[in-house]
Amino acid sequence: MNPARYNINVYQGATFNLNPVWKIGGIAVNLTGFTADMQVRQFVDTGIITEMSTANGHIVIDGSKGQLNITLSASETAALPAGQYMYDLNVTDTGGTVFKILQGAFIINASVTH
């Protein structure tokens, strides 16, 4: 299964929220017990710009709905460098199987108002 492609725009100094639902055949996947991890990098082999995960509290999973609630606070986005990056989002089931469900551009737009 190929991951969905979705480009994300983030605005420095503004709260970031993304709430994707993973569906297969139009039916939400039950993510109860899953973990999730999302990294943002300039290139595949460069350092991490930011990371959101269930481990660090930036991703909360609503298992029965198949929904991931991904957030960064306004102060966290203010600290991100403006530019165009890439990301992917993985979920891991209780057996350790990793599924790449989302990927694309992660664009951090500079803030004019501070």
Side-chain angles (χ1 to χ4, degrees):
M1 178 176 75
N2 293 325
R5 185 152 196 74
Y6 182 75
N7 295 331
I8 296 171
N9 276 286
V10 174
Y11 298 89
Q12 286 177 332
T15 302
F16 168 72
N17 291 296
L18 182 67
N19 307 107
V21 175
W22 186 26
K23 294 181 180 181
I24 296 176
I27 299 171
V29 176
N30 187 337
L31 298 175
T32 300
F34 280 55
T35 60
D37 185 55
M38 177 176 165
Q39 293 183 344
V40 177
R41 300 173 186 260
Q42 187 168 20
F43 301 104
V44 173
D45 57 354
T46 58
I48 298 169
I49 301 297
T50 190
E51 181 172 16
M52 283 100 19
S53 69
T54 49
N56 69 18
H58 287 290
I59 300 178
V60 176
I61 297 175
D62 188 341
S64 62
K65 293 182 181 177
Q67 185 171 17
L68 297 98
N69 302 304
I70 305 167
T71 61
L72 289 171
S73 70
S75 61
E76 289 168 323
T77 64
L80 296 175
Q84 184 164 335
Y85 304 97
M86 61 179 60
Y87 80 94
D88 57 18
L89 173 63
N90 295 334
V91 294
T92 305
D93 70 14
T94 56
T97 302
V98 178
F99 304 90
K100 185 173 303 299
I101 63 171
L102 204 57
Q103 68 180 14
F106 192 92
I107 302 161
I108 302 170
N109 297 278
S111 177
V112 175
T113 304
H114 298 279

